[in-house]
Amino acid sequence: MQKEYKTVYTGGEGEIIEKKSRFIATVRPVESEEEALAFIEEMRKKYWDARHNCYVYSVGMNREATRCSDDGEPSGTAGRPMLDVILGQDIYNVAVVVTRYFGGVLLGTGGLVRAYSLAVQTGLAASTVITKKLGISLKVETDYSGIGKIQYIAGENGLPILDSEYTDKVILHLLVPEEQVQQVKKHITEGTSGRASMEKIKDVYFADVNGETKIWEC
């Protein structure tokens, strides 16, 4: 698993005008090639009257399913420049369709490359792009005398408390970034004088989305 990667949380739409031609970029997060193809077909139906619906998608942590199409534009002037933007920004699990309504003026090879590249950049700018980071859900069990110290350590390290249980003992589930696991365990052991037991429950990805921590299972 990658320690972190960029992806789209919510897609957006951007539009540019180049010599009277409209370029509409629609961005969508996708988790499979089937999702990407269904999205492309959806855009083709929505913009059925457009001259071109060029697309790019990249799915998988090793970019196992990565495709692009010029959809009738001169070879190499649309799909590949669109893919170059995705690769350049290092974004995974994303699909983009750029719809062109021809304005009557030929743009030439260089003009098309610039227009399709800029359209994708504009669409991504209108989307919510996040960085997912690898972490773990850490179960910490202690007695009531240790809870204050654990809460302090969580606060000092910016660790969200995912869940808590209070019975004859206290159980906290902490979200811990992968690179902080050993350090946090050491601090908890020292802070509770060894009275806390810790167990990794599962690997997760997490990201900050508009100031809120979101979590995904790996």
Side-chain angles (χ1 to χ4, degrees):
M1 289 182 288
Q2 287 184 264
K3 289 189 175 181
E4 65 177 56
Y5 67 95
K6 287 170 65 177
T7 190
V8 173
Y9 180 69
T10 53
E13 183 181 292
E15 180 176 333
I16 65 168
I17 305 293
E18 187 69 27
K19 294 183 179 178
K20 299 182 181 180
S21 280
R22 290 178 66 206
F23 293 83
I24 306 165
T26 309
V27 179
R28 183 78 57 84
V30 290
E31 294 295 330
S32 67
E33 188 166 23
E34 290 74 21
E35 269 189 58
L37 294 174
F39 163 61
I40 293 164
E41 188 59 31
E42 177 189 332
M43 291 299 100
R44 282 175 173 159
K45 288 178 180 178
K46 179 178 180 179
Y47 296 112
W48 60 271
D49 58 341
R51 178 73 68 91
H52 306 281
N53 282 293
C54 305
Y55 67 79
V56 61
Y57 62 84
S58 183
V59 180
M61 292 300 93
N62 295 310
R63 303 197 182 278
E64 294 87 346
T66 298
R67 306 281 185 275
C68 60
S69 169
D70 295 313
D71 192 38
E73 293 282 28
S75 179
T77 61
R80 182 66 213 194
M82 292 167 64
L83 176 58
D84 286 343
V85 174
I86 298 299
L87 297 179
Q89 295 196 23
D90 202 26
I91 298 176
Y92 293 78
N93 291 349
V94 63
V96 185
V97 174
V98 175
T99 302
R100 181 189 182 190
Y101 284 94
F102 184 56
V105 180
L106 295 176
L107 301 184
T109 300
L112 287 171
V113 169
R114 286 190 298 275
Y116 278 101
S117 298
L118 181 58
V120 175
Q121 292 167 10
T122 303
L124 288 171
S127 306
T128 301
V129 177
I130 61 174
T131 299
K132 287 187 175 183
K133 298 181 180 181
L134 184 62
I136 69 167
S137 172
L138 181 68
K139 178 182 176 183
V140 184
E141 186 175 315
T142 186
D143 56 30
Y144 278 83
S145 64
I147 182 63
K149 189 62 179 178
I150 293 170
Q151 289 174 329
Y152 174 78
I153 291 169
E156 281 287 288
N157 290 276
L159 309 177
I161 298 175
L162 305 177
D163 193 19
S164 57
E165 304 169 41
Y166 295 88
T167 54
D168 57 325
K169 57 193 173 186
V170 180
I171 298 175
L172 298 179
H173 293 262
L174 305 180
L175 171 60
V176 185
E178 193 266 345
E179 69 274 9
Q180 292 180 245
V181 171
Q182 294 308 315
Q183 174 187 326
V184 168
K185 283 183 174 181
K186 180 173 180 288
H187 286 169
I188 290 175
T189 298
E190 292 174 351
T192 62
S193 300
R195 294 193 306 276
S197 64
M198 288 166 278
E199 177 188 357
K200 171 184 170 181
I201 300 301
K202 59 188 174 184
D203 290 307
V204 297
Y205 276 111
F206 68 97
D208 179 273
V209 181
N210 299 321
E212 183 181 352
T213 300
K214 298 286 186 180
I215 299 169
W216 298 263
E217 291 192 20
C218 296

